[in-house]
Amino acid sequence: MVLSWLNELISLPHLLFGSGEHSNLHEAIMETSVLLLVWAVVFLFTRRLLARLYFLDNFLRVCAWCQKIGHDDQWSSLEDYFHKGFAITTSHSMCPECQQKWEQVTPNIAA
């Protein structure tokens, strides 16, 4: 864009090559408009692509079979993942829904 405007304002080809001097402000405005339009399209698509990549990067891979967590090309148990990644110790417990299901399946043990 700068070269386009320099060309029109100071007749850059005339200064460099000694050719005939001509100035066309309409041409510079059109070139600037096209460059800004191309920049806007590229900017919007790049921004959209980066947002999508950021969204996909936030997924936590969990093995459907053994429930291990995949992170940095390593698979580890949920407890190890939390301990390494977050310095959190884990303890096993049972959520209220599973507690109710367990009590329905094993009524003699719960009492």
Side-chain angles (χ1 to χ4, degrees):
M1 231 175 6
V2 171
L3 285 176
S4 174
W5 281 97
L6 276 175
N7 179 29
E8 298 306 321
L9 294 176
I10 63 172
S11 299
L12 196 59
H14 175 69
L15 293 175
L16 295 176
F17 306 113
S19 64
E21 192 173 331
H22 76 283
S23 179
N24 188 353
L25 191 58
H26 185 263
E27 181 181 331
I29 292 171
M30 290 300 292
E31 288 173 359
T32 302
S33 304
V34 169
L35 283 173
L36 288 175
L37 179 66
V38 169
W39 173 82
V41 169
V42 169
F43 177 77
L44 291 175
F45 279 114
T46 303
R47 189 172 172 197
R48 185 174 162 200
L49 176 66
L50 288 175
R52 178 78 174 151
L53 287 174
Y54 181 75
F55 172 75
L56 292 174
D57 192 41
N58 286 330
F59 277 96
L60 185 64
R61 296 180 300 149
V62 179
C63 176
W65 187 259
C66 67
Q67 305 301 316
K68 286 185 179 178
I69 307 296
H71 183 69
D72 292 336
D73 296 328
Q74 294 180 9
W75 291 88
S76 57
S77 68
L78 184 65
E79 294 85 4
D80 290 339
Y81 175 75
F82 280 128
H83 181 69
K84 284 187 228 174
F86 304 105
I88 297 173
T89 55
T90 58
S91 174
H92 295 315
S93 186
M94 193 178 288
C95 72
E97 291 177 21
C98 291
Q99 178 73 33
Q100 289 176 354
K101 290 177 188 176
W102 183 76
E103 287 174 358
Q104 290 173 357
V105 172
T106 57
N108 296 337
I109 298 173

